[in-house]
Amino acid sequence: EILVSKEIEKNQNSKKFKELSEKKLKYGKLKEEDFIKYSGIVEELQKKILDSCPIIIATINNSADIRISSYNFPIVLLDEATQALEPDCLLPLYHNAKMVVMIGDEKQLGPTVKSLEATIAGLDISLFERLCYYYKGSNFISTLNEQYRMHKSLYEFSNKHFYDDKIITFGEIELNEEVKNNFPPF
């Protein structure tokens, strides 16, 4: 919002933009000719703002937005990639990235697939999980094995059953008395 406001103030059409915005707010919509002018000013402002941004943050689906379709990004970072459907993960790759970094944990929450046909077609597996399978043991995959937030009693079960006891805690994390008294030991 701050960037938009600053760009509006600098823009030669700012007076017309403010006038059209007020009309839109007052009447709920604009006449066709005013709408075309308004849309043109908004497009121009959005382009100026996007051109000035070294980093653009978007959801996976918004990465396919028409407003950024002509931009190329050297690096695409997909966070929570294990929860995203494989076809959705392909959307940000449209931007000709030279590097793609996927962050996630295939042993945690996966993508939500409600369609039996999609499940049969193998779409219940994230692109992240599929790549982990194909590149297992390669240097394309980095596993973080130090955790800093949980007491040992909280991660012990998962560590033993899912992570082959490879997760270590950095430092000692104390539990308060209420948690100690109400949390069963493993």
Side-chain angles (χ1 to χ4, degrees):
E1 273 184 39
I2 293 169
L3 283 175
V4 174
S5 297
K6 286 181 181 179
E7 278 304 322
I8 289 170
E9 288 169 15
K10 290 190 293 186
N11 192 288
Q12 62 191 18
N13 294 321
S14 64
K15 185 177 178 184
K16 187 68 176 169
F17 179 79
K18 287 177 185 175
E19 176 190 314
L20 292 170
S21 294
E22 287 170 10
K23 268 188 184 179
K24 187 178 179 203
L25 188 62
K26 186 176 181 179
Y27 301 114
K29 64 180 195 173
L30 297 170
K31 294 179 188 174
E32 186 176 352
E33 64 189 53
D34 285 342
F35 179 76
I36 291 169
K37 287 178 192 171
Y38 179 82
S39 297
I41 296 169
V42 168
E43 246 179 71
E44 178 188 335
L45 292 171
Q46 288 173 342
K47 183 163 179 18
K48 277 186 175 183
I49 292 167
L50 288 170
D51 287 345
S52 70
C53 293
I55 297 172
I56 295 176
I57 299 171
T59 63
I60 286 178
N61 289 326
N62 284 340
S63 70
D65 189 300
I66 190 85
R67 292 172 291 189
I68 61 172
S69 63
S70 64
Y71 291 85
N72 291 322
F73 302 110
I75 301 171
V76 169
L77 183 110
L78 297 172
D79 194 14
E80 301 295 352
T82 56
Q83 295 179 33
L85 298 170
E86 187 169 4
D88 290 342
C89 286
L90 300 176
L91 294 173
L93 304 184
Y94 172 80
H95 297 285
N96 297 318
K98 303 286 184 250
M99 179 189 297
V100 176
V101 178
M102 299 176 91
I103 302 168
D105 184 346
E106 76 278 9
K107 292 177 174 57
Q108 292 187 21
L109 188 61
T112 301
V113 178
K114 295 180 180 181
S115 162
L116 180 60
E117 291 86 1
T119 302
I120 291 169
L123 295 176
D124 59 334
I125 297 173
S126 67
L127 178 60
F128 182 100
E129 190 173 355
R130 193 176 307 280
L131 291 173
C132 283
Y133 174 79
Y134 286 116
Y135 290 102
K136 188 174 187 158
S138 76
N139 62 354
F140 287 113
I141 298 172
S142 295
T143 302
L144 302 178
N145 64 352
E146 274 188 20
Q147 67 89 19
Y148 298 82
R149 300 185 300 184
M150 291 182 280
H151 185 269
K152 185 177 179 180
S153 63
L154 296 174
Y155 77 86
E156 197 170 41
F157 178 84
S158 297
N159 189 29
K160 182 177 181 180
H161 295 283
F162 299 112
Y163 301 104
D164 302 321
D165 283 325
K166 292 180 181 172
I167 306 296
I168 58 172
T169 297
F170 184 80
E172 189 59 39
I173 298 166
E174 292 295 321
L175 291 178
N176 67 34
E177 286 302 314
E178 186 179 343
V179 174
K180 282 182 188 177
N181 295 334
N182 292 308
F183 199 88
F186 285 102

